[in-house]
Amino acid sequence: MKTGDNLYKLIKFELMFLKKYLFLFMFLLIILVLFNLIIIKNIELNNNLDIVKIMYGNVNKGLFYVYWIYIILLYLIILTVVWRPVYNNYDMNVILRFIKIKKYWNNKFIIHFIITILFVVLLILVTVLISFLQYGILPINNKTLFLITVILILNFILHGEIWLFIKNVFDYKIATFIIFGFYYLGTRLPNIKSLLHFGLYKQLLNDGYNDLEIVIIILIKILFIFLLKFIISVYQNKQDIYIKLL
Amino acid sequence: MDKILIKDLNKVIKNNKILNNINLQLDKNKTYGFVGKNGAGKTVLFKILCGLLKPTSGRIVIFGEELHKDISFPKSISVILEKPGFLDHYTGFDNLWYLASIKKKINKEDVKNALKKVGLDPHDKKKVKAYSLGMKQRLALAQSIMEKPDLILLDEPMNGLDKDAREMAYNLINEEKERGATILMTSHYQEDIESLCDKTYLLEYGKLVNNFQ
């Protein structure tokens, strides 16, 4: 079986699995839209303000704090679905037909990355569209919007991998707790210079970035993403596939 | 090589020794029964044989290829393990057709034939979520035979089946054996084991007792 074919079939399986939760996802999306409506209604916009920068750069202020908790919850739900344990006969028969377990895990990672990209693009799109409907202005210049989207995607993927690593080694409850711990620390220590925290792209949010700095930040994040993926893959390949045991 | 070899197999999970030094040689084209109390290690043994669990120590060679060395999973295998879970929002045919489309060894007609063999209507538009336990078990049986695998692992295949369905399952298992498949099964029903298996093994606290009478 070719790698591309393999990936396509696994994506198809994930989509078939997700059909069951379609109404739940629609409901979560509606709440996301409502959140955006409430926040955007409460922001005094003038032409110099930039709605995406405000929404995704003010984690530690009032309503934004709650909004970000909601976003993190959404992403954790996505991670839980993508990395769900194999526990019924059908799932087992799917895996057994993929023959090579390394390829299976690689494809799972690709699905994780694709879903994260779609998730962040959806977040940004909802915000952009609602602010446009509300104020009739397209809120941001393209380059900054693109960079914010890219860095958010990389941050989410990094957090997702950390969650997965902790889940594999310990437990998903501990992993979830630690991810929220990171968030809490991030809001309490806004100037922290960590790869995970978007303090590193504060300059970007303040329009004070230079291209080289941003490129270096992005490259370092990508490097860490692949490093973590490698570590997790090595661990996964040594473990039982059937995780939910006894 | 036409044998399944299990050598010095041990499995420890959370400090519990689930399987204790299992040594076994199984021939092709035979049906083997595994009996034992709940928690004796039958299901764990099956999961190790299909590659989903890794042995703590020991080797498993399936028809000439060593598991976790030459291959991740046996190349031609189907299993019924745990509950017969499916994609609930799809029909029985859709469920099986997705599985069949992964390896592309069979076509839609083969899937339909497998469904007919177990007494399910391949054109039934009913979603699996509306199936009874017995229908789900029939669907699982259809899935286990549709690709004509060399190795079939059946953990409690008679669960939820009524008398007629059990007779159907008996015929199906015998047909698969005649075709050349090696079948390993567990059952809580003594008569299933006696009627279907060429040889039976008893597992007690993870240890194998040969030639169970």
Side-chain angles (χ1 to χ4, degrees):
Chain A
M1 206 189 318
K2 288 175 187 168
T3 307
D5 192 34
N6 204 329
L7 175 64
Y8 164 74
K9 279 165 186 165
L10 201 56
I11 290 174
K12 189 178 170 190
F13 176 58
E14 296 295 319
L15 290 175
M16 287 171 84
F17 178 83
L18 288 176
K19 189 181 174 190
K20 190 170 158 182
Y21 300 102
L22 197 61
F23 285 110
L24 172 69
F25 286 119
M26 293 305 287
F27 176 71
L28 294 172
L29 182 63
I30 290 168
I31 295 179
L32 183 77
V33 170
L34 288 175
F35 250 123
N36 273 270
L37 273 173
I38 293 167
I39 291 174
I40 289 169
K41 282 243 178 205
N42 283 290
I43 292 174
E44 281 184 29
L45 265 184
N46 58 55
N47 288 339
N48 295 327
L49 282 175
D50 174 342
I51 191 65
V52 177
K53 287 200 287 188
I54 294 171
M55 292 280 286
Y56 299 96
N58 285 281
V59 177
N60 49 347
K61 287 181 189 165
L63 206 50
F64 301 108
Y65 190 79
V66 185
Y67 178 61
W68 265 90
I69 287 178
Y70 184 66
I71 291 175
I72 292 167
L73 262 177
L74 283 184
Y75 191 58
L76 285 170
I77 290 171
I78 289 169
L79 289 177
T80 310
V81 171
V82 173
W83 294 104
R84 64 190 178 280
V86 178
Y87 59 81
N88 73 36
N89 184 58
Y90 195 79
D91 290 345
M92 289 178 202
N93 276 286
V94 169
I95 290 186
L96 292 178
R97 280 168 172 78
F98 279 98
I99 310 277
K100 286 181 180 166
I101 193 60
K102 281 184 185 173
K103 271 190 183 175
Y104 176 80
W105 289 131
N106 273 339
N107 286 328
K108 270 279 190 186
F109 269 106
I110 294 172
I111 290 172
H112 173 166
F113 295 165
I114 292 172
I115 290 186
T116 307
I117 292 167
L118 293 176
F119 173 67
V120 174
V121 168
L122 179 78
L123 289 179
I124 302 287
L125 260 182
V126 167
T127 303
V128 167
L129 283 176
I130 290 175
S131 67
F132 180 69
L133 291 174
Q134 184 74 18
Y135 294 102
I137 50 167
L138 276 172
I140 197 158
N141 77 64
N142 289 337
K143 188 181 171 189
T144 311
L145 180 63
F146 175 74
L147 285 176
I148 287 176
T149 308
V150 168
I151 292 179
L152 274 178
I153 287 169
L154 297 178
N155 274 12
F156 271 109
I157 289 176
L158 262 175
H159 279 88
E161 286 184 335
I162 290 169
W163 178 88
L164 180 62
F165 179 75
I166 299 167
K167 171 187 164 284
N168 284 348
V169 177
F170 301 102
D171 181 51
Y172 81 94
K173 288 175 198 157
I174 295 171
T176 305
F177 180 77
I178 288 176
I179 290 296
F180 274 108
F182 277 148
Y183 172 65
Y184 181 76
L185 272 180
T187 59
R188 288 291 166 267
L189 305 165
N191 295 318
I192 191 169
K193 296 282 181 198
S194 126
L195 258 185
L196 292 166
H197 192 257
F198 54 46
L200 262 182
Y201 80 107
K202 270 278 188 246
Q203 293 170 358
L204 172 70
L205 293 167
N206 294 328
D207 282 336
Y209 61 87
N210 71 55
D211 289 348
L212 183 66
E213 278 178 330
I214 295 298
V215 169
I216 289 171
I217 288 170
I218 289 174
L219 286 177
I220 291 172
K221 279 174 190 277
I222 290 173
L223 185 74
F224 268 83
I225 283 170
F226 280 97
L227 188 70
L228 263 175
K229 183 203 164 287
F230 173 75
I231 292 168
I232 295 167
S233 297
V234 169
Y235 184 81
Q236 276 174 330
N237 287 329
K238 286 182 181 171
Q239 298 301 308
D240 293 330
I241 294 164
Y242 184 80
I243 303 158
K244 216 174 180 181
L245 273 169
L246 300 180
Chain B
M1 208 169 82
D2 288 348
K3 288 183 193 308
I4 295 171
L5 296 171
I6 303 172
K7 189 130 182 59
D8 305 325
L9 175 67
N10 290 286
K11 181 66 181 173
V12 178
I13 299 172
K14 291 178 185 170
N15 296 324
N16 294 320
K17 199 155 198 177
I18 309 294
L19 294 177
N20 191 351
N21 204 34
I22 307 274
N23 282 286
L24 207 54
Q25 183 172 308
L26 306 171
D27 294 325
K28 205 169 186 176
N29 197 16
K30 290 230 159 77
T31 303
Y32 294 94
F34 289 83
V35 294
K37 290 177 184 166
N38 289 339
K42 306 184 294 287
T43 307
V44 170
L45 176 63
F46 278 20
K47 282 175 186 160
I48 288 178
L49 282 174
C50 66
L52 292 169
L53 296 185
K54 294 195 172 178
T56 306
S57 63
R59 289 173 63 221
I60 293 162
V61 180
I62 310 246
F63 306 137
E65 292 179 299
E66 188 168 342
L67 217 51
H68 307 300
K69 195 175 169 195
D70 305 321
I71 45 172
S72 305
F73 310 117
K75 278 183 182 157
S76 177
I77 187 174
S78 71
V79 299
I80 296 182
L81 290 167
E82 303 286 333
K83 290 176 193 165
F86 290 96
L87 297 167
D88 288 347
H89 282 60
Y90 289 85
T91 65
F93 174 80
D94 288 341
N95 269 274
L96 297 201
W97 178 237
Y98 170 73
L99 283 178
S101 70
I102 299 175
K103 281 188 171 178
K104 291 182 184 163
K105 276 172 76 179
I106 55 171
N107 58 32
K108 286 188 178 181
E109 276 313 304
D110 296 321
V111 175
K112 285 176 186 171
N113 286 336
L115 285 166
K116 282 180 199 162
K117 266 191 178 179
V118 298
L120 292 174
D121 177 7
H123 303 289
D124 192 355
K125 296 290 173 202
K126 203 193 289 179
K127 305 275 192 285
V128 170
K129 65 181 173 184
Y131 278 24
S132 65
L133 177 61
M135 287 173 83
K136 283 182 183 170
Q137 197 68 12
R138 282 170 188 258
L139 189 59
L141 280 167
Q143 162 256 301
S144 72
I145 59 150
M146 67 178 180
E147 289 173 311
K148 299 183 172 51
D150 295 336
L151 176 60
I152 303 175
L153 305 183
L154 305 171
D155 190 14
E156 301 292 342
M158 309 298 172
N159 265 1
L161 296 182
D162 58 26
K163 197 182 161 217
D164 289 346
R166 279 177 72 185
E167 210 173 294
M168 173 275 297
Y170 275 35
N171 292 334
L172 211 64
I173 290 168
N174 283 326
E175 271 176 37
E176 286 303 297
K177 185 184 151 192
E178 277 168 31
R179 179 179 61 76
T182 306
I183 301 162
L184 277 61
M185 63 175 285
T186 70
S187 179
H188 284 304
Y189 302 107
Q190 183 79 19
E191 57 188 283
D192 295 342
I193 298 291
E194 281 172 3
S195 310
L196 292 165
C197 299
D198 298 302
K199 196 168 182 182
T200 305
Y201 296 96
L202 171 67
L203 270 166
E204 274 183 342
Y205 304 108
K207 280 193 169 180
L208 201 66
V209 181
N210 276 332
N211 285 327
F212 169 70
Q213 296 296 316

